[in-house]
Amino acid sequence: QVQLVESGGGLVQAGGSLRLSCAASGSIFSISAMGWYRQAPGKQRELVATITSSGSTNYADSVKGRFVISRDSARNTVNLQMNSLKPEDTAVYYCNADRVRHFSFTTFYTGPHWGQGTQVTVSS
């Protein structure tokens, strides 16, 4: 079993900053890519940012230059620093662990795994 728990959401004024954190727990040997996705009311879930186990990052065009993703693979955590927030960033943000390898002696993977989501609201 793998659990992802997000924290750090909340209400902020436009131009402000928030930092989201996500911790993965359970039987985890390694995680491939981790990332953040978001879903606004009436819209589909969309990618915000991802980071591989080697540290390669990928960002949605809408957040490039404003958001920074980071991870601590030893602690199985991923963070999202969100700066210069805009009202259009308002959404539920979900943490994602793409492929989880559970034991060193097997190449068995599960995933993707998702957190329960954390609300980010940016007021104008």
Side-chain angles (χ1 to χ4, degrees):
Q1 296 289 342
V2 175
Q3 287 189 321
L4 301 176
V5 178
E6 301 111 331
S7 61
L11 173 64
V12 65
Q13 288 189 331
S17 298
L18 281 175
R19 182 178 176 85
L20 304 183
S21 296
C22 172
S25 62
S27 298
I28 299 172
F29 174 72
S30 65
I31 303 175
S32 58
M34 299 186 75
W36 291 92
Y37 292 70
R38 67 187 181 187
Q39 188 167 17
K43 295 187 177 182
Q44 289 188 332
R45 189 173 298 187
E46 63 177 4
L47 178 147
V48 176
T50 60
I51 183 167
T52 67
S53 56
S54 61
S56 296
T57 59
N58 180 48
Y59 295 93
D61 288 342
S62 59
V63 307
K64 282 181 181 177
R66 299 188 298 123
F67 292 9
V68 178
I69 189 170
S70 61
R71 71 183 281 181
D72 183 334
S73 293
R75 299 177 184 270
N76 295 322
T77 59
V78 62
N79 300 306
L80 186 68
Q81 179 66 43
M82 304 185 294
N83 302 318
S84 302
L85 283 161
K86 304 175 181 180
E88 50 263 44
D89 295 318
T90 295
V92 177
Y93 284 69
Y94 296 91
C95 176
N96 167 272
D98 188 30
R99 299 177 75 210
V100 177
R101 182 177 175 182
H102 295 276
F103 305 102
S104 61
F105 53 83
T106 177
T107 56
F108 175 70
Y109 291 87
T110 62
H113 300 274
W114 296 93
Q116 80 285 355
T118 185
Q119 177 70 46
V120 171
T121 302
V122 184
S123 64
S124 57

